[in-house]
Amino acid sequence: MPIRLPLLPADPEAPFPPADAAHRVPDGLLAMGGDLSPPRLLNAYRHGIFPWFSEGEPILWWCPDPRMVFDTGAFRLASRFRRSLRASAWEVRADTAFDRVVQACALSPRPGQDGTWITQDMMDAYGALHRLGHAHSVEVFDGPRLVGGIYGVGIGRMFFGESMFSGVSGGSKVALAGLCRILARGGCPLLDAQVENPHLASLGGRRLPRPAFLAEVARLVAEPPPAGLWAPENAVFPASALAGVARD
């Protein structure tokens, strides 16, 4: 049976359909159409909604239930991995290579996926958000080489993760741990990881029912963003600094 979806109006500030109107199959599919302009994207994220579609498809908007999230202050790395970081020469940085991180995420193969959902239009859209100060990346460098990264959207004291990659084994874990460290120290308690998968669950992600997730989003996006959250003094540090973040 064909799925009927609301078509978003031309006004990027127009309200989205209520989240509880999202389809159960596929989980969270809510609406279609519109555009990827900064006002539309920020409007979506403020309501716990994100775009996800493939090349050749219309823009599709999602709000799944439950949601995969990380509590930034409780993020833990496994002890074996933590021990390997103690002598690591890697460095964690933020917002020094945003476009490279997004491109690397687009090029990274994903199990069970043929191609990428990070189209050129998506790269352009998040690049525009980054230049406006709303989208951020955390990068992991081994000397001049980018070995891992993650990017997403920050509003108020809420961060919405979009995608991450590993150029070298462990690169995405360090990027995620580094992002959680930056957010936790800045008073941002929750990181949205969107849809549950085994890899995120293995790193400590938890399922949060959609009503509880949306309540947290509404509260956190309304708070003022932390001053200097992405400044070098807060967001540049050796990966070995994460060696104390352990999970057994």
Side-chain angles (χ1 to χ4, degrees):
M1 183 175 179
I3 295 175
R4 291 180 175 270
L5 287 176
L7 182 65
L8 296 182
D11 180 6
E13 302 285 358
F16 279 81
D20 59 9
H23 288 264
R24 292 186 177 273
V25 181
D27 178 29
L29 183 55
L30 179 65
M32 64 182 289
D35 56 34
L36 296 173
S37 64
R40 178 94 63 182
L41 286 171
L42 293 174
N43 185 17
Y45 282 105
R46 287 190 184 99
H47 296 90
I49 299 163
F50 60 88
W52 187 21
F53 60 100
S54 298
E55 191 76 52
E57 292 182 340
I59 300 173
L60 301 176
W61 301 89
W62 303 75
C63 188
D65 183 22
R67 201 66 161 243
M68 176 63 73
V69 300
F70 287 92
D71 299 298
T72 61
F75 185 83
R76 299 292 182 264
L77 290 169
S79 294
R80 179 181 296 180
F81 187 74
R82 172 177 57 93
R83 288 193 295 269
S84 74
L85 286 180
R86 290 174 181 164
S88 174
W90 291 359
E91 184 177 61
V92 179
R93 308 173 193 168
D95 284 348
T96 67
F98 182 87
D99 291 337
R100 289 175 63 189
V101 168
V102 175
Q103 185 175 44
C105 289
L107 294 174
S108 293
R110 310 286 176 181
Q113 291 186 19
D114 181 15
T116 179
W117 56 270
I118 306 176
T119 64
Q120 186 61 53
D121 287 345
M122 291 285 272
M123 288 191 272
D124 292 343
Y126 287 89
L129 277 184
H130 174 63
R131 290 188 291 275
L132 291 170
H134 300 297
H136 303 277
S137 62
V138 170
E139 310 99 26
V140 184
F141 280 92
D142 182 3
R145 183 184 180 193
L146 182 65
V147 298
I150 186 170
Y151 76 96
V153 176
I155 303 176
R157 292 184 181 269
M158 181 72 200
F159 195 86
F160 304 88
E162 274 297 314
S163 187
M164 60 184 180
F165 84 98
S166 282
V168 173
S169 178
S172 63
K173 287 183 185 179
V174 172
L176 179 59
L179 173 59
C180 285
R181 181 183 194 260
I182 293 166
L183 294 173
R185 291 190 168 192
C188 301
L190 204 62
L191 166 61
D192 173 33
Q194 297 183 347
V195 180
E196 180 182 10
N197 65 49
H199 178 59
L200 295 175
S202 74
L203 293 172
R206 66 180 175 95
R207 294 154 57 105
L208 188 61
R210 184 166 57 205
F213 172 77
L214 294 176
E216 284 294 278
V217 168
R219 178 178 70 86
L220 292 170
V221 300
E223 295 185 10
L229 182 66
W230 305 101
E233 59 268 25
N234 297 321
V236 177
F237 50 87
S240 59
L242 300 169
V245 183
R247 175 170 58 83
D248 294 306

